Every structure is written in C-alpha cells, then in structure tokens.
Amino acid sequence: MAGKKYIYLFSEGRADMKQLLGGKGANLAEMTNIGLPVPPGITITCEACNEYIRLGRQFPEGLEEELKARLKDLEALNAKKLGDPKDPLLVSVRSGAPVSMPGMMDTILNLGLNDESVKGLAANTNDERFALDCYRRFIQMFGDVVLGIDHDKFEAILEKHKERLGVKFDNELTPAALQEVIAEYKDLVRKEVGRDFPQDPQEQLRMAVRAVFDSWDNPRAIVYRKINKIPDDLGTAVNIQTMVFGNMGPTSGTGVAFTRNPATGEKGIYGEYLINAQGEDVVAGIRTPKPIAELKKEMPDTYRQFEEICALLEKHYRDMQDIEFTIERGKLYILQTRVGKRTAAAAVKIAVDMVEEGLISQEEAILRVDPDQVVQLLHRRVDPEAKVQVIAKGLPASPGAASGKVVFDADEAERKGLDGEKVILVRNETTPDDIHGIVQAQGVLTARGGMTSHAAVVARGMGKPAVVGCGDLKIDVGGKRFFVGSLEVKEGDVISIDGATGNVMLGEVPLVEPQLSGEFQTLLQWADGVRRLKVRANADTPEDARRAREFGAEGIGLARTEHMFMGADRLPVVQQMILAKNKEEREAALAKLLPMQQGDFYEILKVMEGLPVTIRLLDPPLHEFLPSAEELLVEITRLEATGQNPEELEAKRDLLREVRAREEFNPMLGHRGCRLGVTYPEVYAMQARAIFRAVAQLKKEGINVLPEVEIPLVIHVNELRRLRQLVNEVADEVKKETGVDFDYKVGTMIELPRACATADEIAEEAEFFSFGTNDLTQTTFGFSRDDAEAKFLPQYLEEKILKENPFMVLDRQGVGKFMRMAVELGRKTRPELEVGICGEHGGEASSVEFCHLIGLNYVSCSPFRVPVARLAAAQAVIKEKKDKEASYSTE
Ligand code: ADP
Ligand code: MG
Ligand code: MG
C-alpha cells in the first residue's frame, strides 16, 4: 500500500495519538507543540512495527525511503548532518509502546558517532574528554542492546582502566584512557560478533530501529504483557531524537523529577539529578544523585525555569507528571513526561488537592483513585521503607501485617496472648478447635489450605492478617520448629507476615498503621454523594460491626452465626446438641445455647442501632463442629495403648462412630444451609428466638433496631415457606411473652442456580434477597473453590481459558446472568424487593460495578473493604453516565 505515512515529526503529533506514536512519542509531540524545550525528533509508528512483524521481520515497503526523507527534515532543523565528520548530528533511538512497558529495548544514545565524527565533536565542543565519553557510551550501549554483547564485558574493561588510573568514577577518566577503552571495546565487538563496529551512521540507525521492533517480541516483554494483561498486537513506536548532552562538564547534568511526591502526594518538585552525566546514570546508581532541591542553589535560573515547566505540564495534563530532563551547558531540555506512578496514599491526596486547586472536578478525582489500591490504606502494613528478609511466600489470605513469636498450638497462643505477648500461630492448617488461639494471635500462617480454608476465612472475618498455603514451610510440630529449606525457625523466634502480599519475613519488621486520612474521608464523602448502591459490611462480632460503622457501613449485610458456636465455652454445648440421641436432649443443649446467642445478637444489633442487620441462620454442615476422625483415631490408639481410662476410650469410640455416620461425600453439596432447618427445626427456632428476644430487649431500652432474618441455601419456595412460618411463629411467641412489638424481615440468600431460576416463586416468601456469590459461583461453575484454586484454576488463567478468577472478580457472563435473572424475576413478584450481595465480590471494584448495573440495592463486604466499595460504587455511577454520553454522541 503506497503512500502510507509511517513517520511523524514531533511537531506533527499530539498527546491523544498514543495508539499510533506510543506514549513517549505522543507526549514528546505534545510538549513540542506547547512550546517546551524538547530536542527535535521523529517517531516511527507502532503500525510500522506491526507491519514489520507481520512481514516476518522486514521493513514495510517505503519505510526506508521515508526514514531518509524525514531524517533530512531533522538534519535541516538542527543544521547538522548525520555522519558529518566535522559537525555530526547525533541522535538517541528510544522505544515507546502505547502503554508503558519496562521489558522493551533500552535506549541508545549518541548514535551517529564513528572514528571520524568523534573528532569533529571534540573539535566543535572543544572538549575531547566529552566526545570520547560519548563514543565509548555509544559503543557500549549499541553493543549491548543491538549486538547482544553482555553488558558486563564492557563494564569489566571500563573497571580495569578506572583501577589502573586509581579513579572512582567514569567521568574522571582521561582522554588517553578513554581512547584505550574505545579501542578495547571495538576489539571486544570484533571478537564477539565477528565484524567491526558499524561505522556508517545510516547502517547504525537501521540496525537500531530493527532492534527496537524486535524487542517487542523479546521474552521479557512477552512476560510483562502477559502479567499485566497488555494485548500482544499494540506494537512499539521508535523515537529518533536529537541528542542533548548532560555530560558536557560542570554546568551540564541530567535528572528525573515528579511534580509531586509520589509516596505522600505532597505538593512540590521531588526528584534527583547528577552533574556531568548522561541518560540513565541517575537511576543506574553509578554515583549518588543529589536531591533536586540542591539544583535550586547550584543553578537557580535553570531551576526556576524547570519549576515553571513542571507547573505548566501539570496544568496541561491535569495530573501529576514524571519528567526526565537534561541540562546542557546551563540550557534546560525536557526529554520525557508521563503520568507519574504513585502510592495509594499519594493518589488520594493528589486527587483531593487537585480538586481544591481547581485542576479537576470531584468526579474526576473519584475516578483517579484505584479502589483496589486503597485497600493498602486500610490495614496495618509493612513500612515500605523498611529492609525486610523474606524467607517464604504463601497465599495472601487476609490483608494486614503482623510480627510475633512463633507458636505451634492454639492453647499456647491463647496463653501467651493473654499474657500480653505477641504471637503468630503457625499450623499446617487450622480447625474450629484453634479459634481461641487465633483470637489471641497477631496473625496466622499455615502451610496448607487455599483462600477459603478455615484459617483464611476466620482470619478475614476477624480482620487479622493471614498467609496460608505456604508450601515452603515444613512444620515439625513435635519438635516445635519449622523449616524453610535449610533455615530453621524455632518456637519463640520472631517472624512477620504480610497478608497482603503473602510474604513471610524473619524477625520483627516496622509496621505503619492504617489511616483514613482527612483527604481520604473527603474523597469518600464525595463518593457518597454520587453513588446509588448502599454499602453494608459482613460482620460477625460487635467489634467488627463497630469498625464497619467507622468505615462508613450503612448496615450489616451478613452476620454469620456459626462463628458464635465456636468459642471454647460454646463448642461443647454445640457438640451435645449435634450428638443428642433425641429431641429432648437436643432441646436441653439448645436451651443452654439460647442465652449465649441472645447475648451475641444483642451486642451486634445495639452497635448497629438504626441500621439494618441481616442475620443468617446456621449454614455449615454440623460435622464441622465435631473433631475429625483422624484426630479421634489417634487418641483412641493412644488410650488403647495405655489401657487406662476405659470410660474415656468408650466415649471416644462412640464419638468416632457418630463422626463417621455424619461424614459426607461432598460437604459443599451436602446436609447444610436451610436443609438443617428442615431436618432440625428446633435449631433454627432457637436462633430465631435468640434474635427476637434480643430485639425485644433493645426495644424496651428505646433502641431502634432493624433485624433481617436470612435463610441460607434455598432451592425451592417450599423450603422458605416452611421456615419463614417457623420464624414468624417464634416472633409471635416472643412478642406475646415480652409484650413488645417489633418489625423484622424474613428473606433468603440466593446462592444456587435453581433459586435464581425460580426467583419469582421464591420472592412470594422472601422480603429480601442477598446473593451469596461464592456458593453461586461454585455451583454455576461446578467448581469447589479450594480444589479449583489449588489444582487447575491457575492453568486456566495462565492459558486464558478464563480471563479472571471467578471467585475474585464476579463472572458477569455466567454467574452474572443468573443474578440478573433473579433480580428481574424476584421484582416481578415483589417490586419493592430489596436485593443485595454479601459474597467477597461485594468488596471488589468490577463486581461492585456490575451490581450497580443490574440494580441491586446494596453491596456488603468485609469492614475493611467498605471504603473500597463506597469508592467503586461511585465510580460505577460516573462510568455509566460517561458511557451513556459516549453512546449518544456516536448516534
Ligand atoms: P526509558 O523508557 O527506559 O525511560 P528513555 O528513552 O526515556 O528510556 O531514555 C533513557 C535515558 O536517556 C533517559 O534518561 C533519557 O532522558 C535519556 N535520553 C533519551 N533521549 C535523549 C536525548 N535525545 N538526549 C539526551 N538524553 C536522552
Ligand atoms: Mg529503560
Ligand atoms: Mg525515560
């Protein structure tokens, strides 16, 4: 195709041409056009790169001619010629894809130098050292990135000469020494690639352009694209830019700067520079750079000009910028600008400050902050400045960081914890028997188990850090120690865990407290003014409920009652209830549990005064409250061996029989949820009674409470009809017995496909729906989450069979379709039906957006994620509005 334009002068481009010119090229063009001091240059488009790859690594037709022509333009702009032995034009060749990609080819500087033109450069600048320095850098960079010669081989030669002359830095080498370095570099090239270093600048340029194109498909780049989900067909642009020199002596230098502090968001230029240096010297750590504030003293005029440019760029791009600059004999040049990366704390501060400065609107500020990133701000975390020694990595099961002494059993954890010691409970996996230990520990570390293992779920529920499934850990429980490879860690040794990254670290690490900074509160208030979804929290304890309120929760969307069965005082009674031989025995046990449960509900409802609280009746299979068969077998064997205590032995044998009788082939699909309510109505009746008595008590105290009783795992309206009637009867009894009248709702969790498909019928009996999207995902996919995540899901994601883990990001096409159906059918029967979501998805941004789009009333998530959901819910509204506007304007 003749006449296709593959090359643009900087003056022909714009910032919005990133797709064609790459990010770097588009921004260089934009800066050129707003009059900033950018050395002139040209950009070969990403399209040319794609063509090159499509043609099997060949320049598309016409590209070489076009390059020659545009090069003439560039030469004219500079009044210099590439390869001119007297006054050579030198250029840099820089890659630049549409999205920033660290894996791409490194930049080549000083291209155009050869044995002749280096003399011209020396004569012209009257600086031989400088010219030779440029040449040796060029051979080194070209040799490394284009010819593929190991960088270290060049460094070794350089080092040798520095040592010989007894100097520390390369800018101290004499011209004579540099001559020798160059000669040795050229020998090295000849030896390594079997040809002389190319002397023809046109050839140098062609080879460099080709190398940039090729680097699009180098393994580093491919891996980076995969991890960051960047499409493979974007291609990269090539920028060929007139060189400016920071290595021309004491009034020259190079540096990088942010327009605001990228760690804190503080306003003011933040960066570093080096005098008499070139390119990446600042970041390469060859000399220690100086903070930018020094430049103010060293070159006040240049600094002032830089300040003005920073302000101008921020205003122009309306965001914090990351800028590269070079000073050549006192004259400032800008070589790159891009939106600066920043921490969550900085993102929040910058967004809010920029609204106050009139740079952006509140809605833009809301969109500027990544909800997944602010999770960082809501937990205690490892001080990012700290040096830590990571010894192992597990799954990041529950965010937050903690340090403490290693303990291997729950009793010990409890004992030490109550004594005020900080401990980390380390187990192969945890069971309900460990709860008392987890309560007293700073965090939990397990060798086995997935993101929904007991330890993970319990720790998340308690807001405690947890790292699970840390396979590198070899625990020797008897020896009270664990190993990571040959490293031994004993009971009492201090470790730290970071549940946000999965890192396990040796020793105590400095932690920083979570902060809802003033700016963050402001941003969230703006978000509250925009969002339509309400945000509730999942909370099982009064402490969680309190924290949830602090973070802005507008109710509790899920209070699970099973955790209330697990404390050391409760579990034996719960076991009596389960093992009861008849109804009387069971009711006796339930009678003991009733006041305890009533106390639990009283506390939570009280904390949540004035706000709705959804309480789910018992859900897990009962055998979860019993010891495991293996454990019992071990004890039985032990008792048999000692021959003592025959009564205890008999009791254990009985218990084992009971445990065996309750074993299920697939507990996830077994005797659980409302199936328990159907088979043991007295259990649900007890729970309902505990709820309503607490309600009556609070009403008497003048406290307004809004209880919602939730029946889990319903598949048929008949289940709900029966259980709702049971709940209603208990409510009537309590009203009569207490003489207090109160309101409540009865509804259901929607977590099975059949419930979605028959939601119109179910809505006849349900006053609210709440999607339990973990089970709904498991049953829609036919995956058990733990098995999937441990065994095959990683490969599914790797090979892109699935784009996302459906347990983390709601599957809109499958699970989402069921949800949409359930909402529509449910509201057909009962237009005022209140619908929410209480799965983990309720705190994940993309899932929150989907909930907004299908018209839910609220999302409910862990207390720590409430701010995330508030922000995400507001973003959903703004994005929906934008999409609508875009679709009108294209009509
Ligand atoms: P990266 O994408 O890795 O940042 P760059 O293309 O920005 O690579 O360049 C690497 C270094 O070389 C930067 O310090 C940049 O400022 C410098 N540099 C690039 N082009 C020129 C030039 N024409 N003159 C002087 N320095 C340059
Ligand atoms: Mg680089
Ligand atoms: Mg750069």
Side-chain angles (χ1 to χ4, degrees):
M1 194 167 46
K4 181 154 220 170
K5 187 173 167 68
Y6 283 124
I7 306 183
Y8 289 72
L9 284 165
F10 286 175
S11 55
E12 293 175 313
R14 280 190 322 269
D16 62 7
M17 290 164 73
K18 284 201 173 68
Q19 222 49 32
L20 190 65
L21 303 177
K24 200 180 280 170
N27 283 332
L28 284 165
E30 184 78 12
M31 290 195 293
T32 302
N33 287 320
I34 57 176
L36 295 188
V38 176
I42 57 179
T43 304
I44 308 178
T45 61
C46 301
E47 223 175 328
C49 172
N50 285 332
E51 273 298 290
Y52 171 86
I53 289 169
R54 200 180 60 80
L55 295 169
R57 298 179 185 267
Q58 270 188 39
F59 283 152
E61 209 188 305
L63 182 63
E64 282 196 48
E65 292 70 54
E66 203 181 342
L67 182 56
K68 280 195 189 118
R70 291 285 82 78
L71 203 57
K72 286 238 156 59
D73 295 341
L74 192 58
E75 289 174 337
L77 281 171
N78 286 291
K80 284 180 195 225
K81 282 204 157 55
L82 196 71
D84 183 342
K86 292 226 173 56
D87 187 12
L89 169 69
L90 302 186
V91 295
S92 63
V93 178
R94 321 170 66 186
S95 64
V99 286
S100 159
M101 281 208 12
M104 302 291 301
M105 192 195 80
D106 288 331
T107 293
I108 297 166
L109 303 178
N110 314 327
L111 187 140
L113 281 175
N114 56 27
D115 293 350
E116 293 310 312
S117 61
V118 70
K119 293 178 198 152
L121 183 64
N124 265 335
T125 54
N126 206 6
D127 190 343
E128 193 188 5
R129 187 211 64 83
F130 156 74
L132 291 167
D133 183 51
C134 288
Y135 194 25
R136 78 97 194 141
R137 285 171 185 266
F138 173 48
I139 300 173
Q140 179 164 352
M141 281 190 254
F142 193 94
D144 172 8
V145 304
V146 180
L147 302 175
I149 302 167
D150 193 351
H151 174 80
D152 293 340
K153 296 189 171 151
F154 291 104
E155 281 298 312
I157 295 173
L158 194 62
E159 273 312 308
K160 191 179 74 190
H161 286 277
K162 285 193 322 197
E163 245 168 62
R164 187 171 59 83
L165 290 183
V167 301
K168 205 160 152 210
F169 300 117
D170 53 67
N171 59 354
E172 297 166 316
L173 288 175
T174 58
L178 285 167
Q179 295 275 21
E180 284 178 48
V181 171
I182 289 167
E184 287 182 39
Y185 274 12
K186 287 199 290 190
D187 288 343
L188 177 67
V189 169
R190 203 171 303 117
K191 203 176 90 211
E192 292 281 325
V193 294
R195 62 159 287 181
D196 283 328
F197 186 79
Q199 291 288 316
D200 172 10
Q202 299 288 345
E203 189 191 3
Q204 294 172 353
L205 187 58
R206 276 196 306 273
M207 288 174 77
V209 170
R210 195 177 276 279
V212 174
F213 286 163
D214 286 339
S215 75
W216 178 253
D217 271 337
N218 76 26
R220 267 199 304 176
I222 291 173
V223 169
Y224 185 85
R225 288 202 292 273
K226 191 171 228 168
I227 295 173
N228 293 283
K229 306 206 164 105
I230 298 169
D232 286 324
D233 58 3
L234 296 177
T236 179
V238 187
N239 301 290
I240 300 167
Q241 186 176 25
T242 309
M243 280 302 302
V244 288
F245 300 99
N247 53 339
M248 271 194 181
T251 56
S252 302
T254 175
V256 291
F258 292 86
T259 53
R260 306 190 185 214
N261 185 319
T264 63
E266 212 68 49
K267 205 172 171 178
I269 300 173
Y270 181 92
E272 295 176 324
Y273 73 105
L274 263 180
I275 290 294
N276 201 6
Q278 189 173 51
E280 310 234 55
D281 289 1
V282 176
V283 281
I286 52 165
R287 280 182 274 150
T288 309
K290 300 185 200 174
I292 202 95
E294 302 261 316
L295 188 65
K296 197 172 183 173
K297 292 178 228 152
E298 219 167 347
M299 300 184 195
D301 291 342
T302 312
Y303 184 80
R304 201 165 319 117
Q305 194 195 348
F306 185 59
E307 245 178 354
E308 277 164 23
I309 289 174
C310 285
L312 191 143
L313 281 174
E314 262 207 351
K315 216 174 185 156
H316 189 73
Y317 284 98
R318 305 163 72 242
D319 204 349
M320 188 260 263
Q321 298 292 300
D322 170 357
I323 301 170
E324 291 175 7
F325 65 94
T326 281
I327 303 163
E328 178 180 313
R329 293 188 169 155
K331 178 157 172 34
L332 177 67
Y333 293 94
I334 305 297
L335 290 167
Q336 188 170 341
T337 195
R338 60 184 154 192
V339 171
K341 293 222 161 38
R342 62 204 80 180
T343 63
V348 169
K349 177 158 173 56
I350 291 171
V352 172
D353 283 353
M354 285 194 165
V355 171
E356 270 145 29
E357 292 162 25
L359 272 177
I360 59 174
S361 67
Q362 287 188 6
E363 290 197 349
E364 282 174 293
I366 291 168
L367 290 178
R368 286 276 170 94
V369 178
D370 177 0
D372 291 330
Q373 208 191 2
V374 298
V375 179
Q376 285 175 19
L377 302 176
L378 301 167
H379 294 279
R380 197 179 286 150
R381 64 214 152 92
V382 177
D383 183 343
E385 307 278 300
K387 281 215 162 50
V388 298
Q389 189 193 349
V390 177
I391 55 170
K393 206 171 166 79
L395 297 172
S398 177
S403 298
K405 289 183 181 163
V406 172
V407 293
F408 293 96
D409 79 60
D411 293 340
E412 185 68 13
E414 183 179 39
R415 202 160 42 242
K416 288 215 165 101
L418 289 172
D419 280 352
E421 280 194 66
K422 292 191 167 165
V423 299
I424 305 279
L425 181 62
V426 182
R427 308 273 294 158
N428 276 317
E429 56 202 342
T430 64
T431 68
D433 289 340
D434 296 320
I435 295 278
H436 60 294
I438 299 175
V439 169
Q440 296 301 333
Q442 301 297 308
V444 188
L445 169 62
T446 69
R448 293 201 288 264
M451 296 291 282
T452 50
S453 62
H454 179 265
V457 172
V458 170
R460 276 201 294 274
M462 294 184 189
K464 281 197 196 250
V467 174
V468 303
C470 186
D472 292 341
L473 233 60
K474 301 283 170 276
I475 303 180
D476 169 13
V477 180
K480 297 196 170 184
R481 56 189 182 163
F482 70 78
F483 292 92
V484 180
S486 60
L487 178 79
E488 180 184 357
V489 177
K490 292 196 284 289
E491 186 176 68
D493 290 351
V494 174
I495 61 166
S496 302
I497 58 172
D498 183 345
T501 60
N503 282 344
V504 181
M505 292 148 286
L506 206 56
E508 186 161 350
V509 300
L511 304 178
V512 286
E513 288 298 317
Q515 70 225 90
L516 263 195
S517 67
E519 282 99 4
F520 196 12
Q521 311 244 26
T522 305
L523 188 74
L524 288 172
Q525 273 158 19
W526 293 341
D528 293 346
V530 172
R531 69 187 158 90
R532 202 201 58 221
L533 279 172
K534 295 253 178 217
V535 176
R536 298 194 193 179
N538 299 343
D540 304 338
T541 63
E543 297 85 74
D544 275 357
R546 218 167 277 129
R547 185 175 303 127
R549 274 200 102 141
E550 266 167 38
F551 282 159
E554 296 159 300
I556 287 180
L558 175 64
R560 291 165 300 181
T561 48
E562 51 269 24
H563 294 203
M564 301 165 180
F565 280 17
M566 288 193 179
D569 53 336
R570 313 276 175 96
L571 201 55
V573 189
V574 173
Q575 292 177 348
Q576 273 170 32
M577 183 255 304
I578 296 170
L579 298 171
K581 298 265 185 303
N582 51 47
K583 206 169 169 196
E584 286 70 47
E585 271 184 51
R586 176 164 302 117
E587 282 182 341
L590 286 170
K592 282 195 237 169
L593 280 174
L594 176 65
M596 301 182 189
Q597 283 256 283
Q598 188 180 332
D600 298 329
F601 298 140
Y602 175 88
E603 291 296 333
I604 292 190
L605 288 163
K606 189 169 176 178
V607 173
M608 297 307 287
E609 175 174 10
L611 297 174
V613 177
T614 305
I615 299 171
R616 179 177 74 182
L617 302 186
L618 196 64
D619 179 60
L622 294 180
H623 51 75
E624 281 198 8
F625 301 97
L626 298 177
S628 76
E630 293 88 80
E631 246 172 75
L632 282 169
L633 263 178
V634 170
E635 283 178 52
I636 287 169
T637 317
R638 187 178 54 81
L639 286 169
E640 280 170 351
T642 60
Q644 296 160 348
N645 229 336
E647 269 162 44
E648 196 188 339
L649 179 62
E650 212 30 59
K652 294 272 173 189
R653 281 187 177 140
D654 273 351
L655 188 54
L656 180 61
R657 251 190 307 281
E658 293 290 339
V659 167
R660 283 269 154 83
R662 283 176 174 75
E663 265 167 12
E664 289 182 307
F665 292 105
N666 192 337
M668 185 193 111
L669 303 176
H671 191 179
R672 54 172 287 218
C674 69
R675 298 156 206 171
L676 294 170
V678 170
T679 49
Y680 306 111
E682 55 280 10
V683 175
Y684 273 22
M686 179 280 285
Q687 289 198 296
R689 183 162 285 116
I691 294 169
F692 293 131
R693 283 190 180 167
V695 169
Q697 199 180 340
L698 286 159
K699 280 262 156 175
K700 266 192 201 154
E701 295 169 22
I703 293 171
N704 179 31
V705 291
L706 307 168
E708 305 186 335
V709 179
E710 183 178 51
I711 313 290
L713 219 70
V714 163
I715 43 110
H716 198 290
V717 63
N718 287 343
E719 292 171 313
L720 191 59
R721 182 167 297 132
R722 177 192 294 205
L723 294 169
R724 182 179 177 212
Q725 196 182 340
L726 175 81
V727 170
N728 285 341
E729 279 166 15
V730 173
D732 289 343
E733 282 168 32
V734 174
K735 284 180 187 174
K736 209 178 282 158
E737 113 204 347
T738 57
V740 181
D741 195 27
F742 49 81
D743 290 330
Y744 62 93
K745 285 185 183 173
V746 181
T748 178
M749 195 111 147
I750 299 285
E751 47 191 336
L752 293 167
R754 193 182 192 284
C756 296
T758 62
D760 46 352
E761 293 170 23
I762 291 176
E764 287 166 17
E765 297 292 335
E767 290 165 282
F768 64 87
F769 283 176
S770 170
F771 287 106
T773 45
N774 195 43
D775 270 320
L776 187 57
T777 302
Q778 297 200 89
T779 50
T780 300
F781 279 78
F783 290 177
S784 110
R785 179 172 181 175
D786 278 344
D787 290 329
E789 287 183 342
K791 297 190 178 107
F792 54 85
L793 199 51
Q795 191 179 340
Y796 268 56
L797 297 171
E798 173 80 7
E799 294 173 9
K800 299 190 175 147
I801 295 173
L802 292 177
K803 226 173 108 204
E804 306 269 9
N805 177 346
F807 296 104
M808 318 260 272
V809 179
L810 195 100
D811 161 47
R812 295 188 186 196
Q813 292 78 24
V815 176
K817 201 178 256 179
F818 276 124
M819 291 170 70
R820 201 189 281 273
M821 181 191 343
V823 174
E824 279 168 17
L825 289 177
R827 292 215 176 116
K828 206 179 271 172
T829 304
R830 199 188 279 263
E832 74 290 357
L833 184 75
E834 175 192 75
V835 189
I837 178 177
C838 62
E840 252 178 77
H841 296 106
E844 189 278 328
S846 144
S847 312
V848 171
E849 180 184 35
F850 183 73
C851 292
H852 167 82
L853 292 173
I854 62 169
L856 297 203
N857 300 89
Y858 70 85
V859 296
S860 186
C861 54
S862 114
F864 289 104
R865 285 208 162 240
V866 166
V868 176
R870 287 163 72 188
L871 189 60
Q875 291 187 347
V877 173
I878 300 168
K879 285 188 192 149
E880 187 184 29
K881 198 168 75 182
K882 277 193 168 176
D883 287 348
K884 276 213 185 98
E885 283 165 7
S887 75
Y888 289 141
S889 67
T890 54
E891 268 162 21

